[in-house]
Amino acid sequence: PLQWLWEPLLEDPGFVLRPMFGGKSLYLDGRLMLYFTAKAEPWRGVLVCTDRSHHAALRATFPSLAPHPVLPKWLYLPEAADDFERTARLLVSLARQRDPRIGVAPQSRRNSSSQARKRRDPRSRP
């Protein structure tokens, strides 16, 4: 249902869209930028993938953003917000411009899975 938001980026050479947790994650140049989800609250809207150091600046520009209740490291724009369409379009535009406040380097799958194995392996504990 939120496809209209990423459609303007389809021609961008750095654009990749991947399924993630029942939604769609938008990558530009390898950086995870935005996550689109259309499930039940609090998973209905757009999550802005960003570092906490950018929260204040983004929230000053977009008052409808708030830390996500489950993933507080990212900001959340609920679809129920009065200015959802306008703000979502502006966030996509900032992502397209590679605004440094938006986007995070994704964790390496190999790295995170090997760390998880170490945590589960009793031999790795002193």
Side-chain angles (χ1 to χ4, degrees):
L2 299 175
Q3 181 176 348
W4 58 273
L5 284 168
W6 66 76
E7 282 179 340
L9 298 171
L10 291 174
E11 300 301 318
D12 189 303
F15 172 81
V16 174
L17 191 70
R18 292 191 178 130
M20 183 170 85
F21 308 124
K24 299 288 185 183
S25 54
L26 181 147
Y27 293 80
L28 291 173
D29 302 330
R31 290 178 55 84
L32 176 57
M33 306 292 265
L34 301 167
Y35 174 68
F36 305 96
T37 180
K39 295 159 79 173
E41 283 297 338
W43 299 103
R44 187 165 195 85
V46 178
L47 278 79
V48 181
C49 309
T50 185
D51 292 321
R52 283 190 168 110
S53 61
H54 299 300
H55 282 208
L58 286 166
R59 291 183 74 196
T61 304
F62 304 106
S64 295
L65 290 177
H68 189 271
V70 178
L71 291 173
K73 66 181 179 178
W74 291 350
L75 295 174
Y76 179 52
L77 174 65
E79 192 173 352
D82 290 337
D83 61 346
F84 175 78
E85 287 188 23
R86 181 182 145 293
T87 300
R89 285 183 198 274
L90 288 169
L91 289 167
V92 169
S93 178
L94 287 179
R96 174 192 278 155
Q97 297 168 32
R98 292 2 184 228
D99 186 298
R101 299 172 296 176
I102 298 177
V104 295
Q107 286 186 328
S108 166
R109 287 185 183 185
R110 178 177 295 159
N111 223 4
S112 59
S113 62
S114 66
Q115 289 172 354
R117 273 195 301 277
K118 284 181 184 177
R119 286 192 296 267
R120 288 190 304 258
D121 186 351
R123 295 173 294 174
S124 67
R125 295 191 177 117

